[in-house]
Amino acid sequence: MIYNQPRSLEVAGLNHGSAPIPMGARVGNMIFTSGISGKDPKTGKLAEGATAQAFHAFENLRLLLENGGATMADVGQVTVLTVDDSLRDAVNAEWLRHFPDPHDRPARHTTVQPLRGGALLQLMAIAAVPHKT
């Protein structure tokens, strides 16, 4: 399969402000994301609170993957960045919603660190786009 789309992947309504960084990139059959925050793509603004940010971050990841020809089932690894370890419950709720089968989940690593612009959490992921038969 030849993929004739631009390498950079975007989600309408989301961006990294003035930084010249795409939301993700597709190289061959692989998708690599930038930091995906919990912005609401309808407003372009960061959602209020960890629960809403986690919801939007996972939905934004899903949209980005779709734009690159993949689904959440194609994700091999997710890195979660949070500003506080207490936010794991909000992340875990969305994690379980998107990856309900305990025998069919991607690898995941969570780290606590400062984030910019009021973000409470961010996701980064790597996915393999399936070959169409």
Side-chain angles (χ1 to χ4, degrees), residues 50 62 93:
R62 184 185 60 75

Side-chain angles (χ1 to χ4, degrees), residues 5-29:
Q5 298 295 317
R7 175 175 30 179
S8 297
L9 298 172
E10 302 294 348
V11 173
L14 301 179
N15 60 45
H16 288 288
S18 62
I21 302 167
M23 294 303 296
R26 178 170 169 167
V27 179
N29 74 323

Side-chain angles (χ1 to χ4, degrees), residues 21-85:
I21 302 167
M23 294 303 296
R26 178 170 169 167
V27 179
N29 74 323
M30 302 298 296
I31 293 176
F32 305 88
T33 74
S34 298
I36 298 177
S37 70
K39 284 185 181 178
D40 181 341
K42 292 178 183 170
T43 65
K45 296 183 191 259
L46 203 55
E48 290 283 328
T51 300
Q53 285 190 28
F55 170 82
H56 284 292
F58 276 90
E59 285 300 306
N60 293 338
L61 172 58
R62 184 185 60 75
L63 290 170
L64 181 72
L65 292 170
E66 286 178 4
N67 289 345
T71 69
M72 294 294 267
D74 303 314
V75 174
Q77 181 180 14
V78 177
T79 300
V80 181
L81 310 172
T82 66
V83 297
D84 190 280
D85 204 41

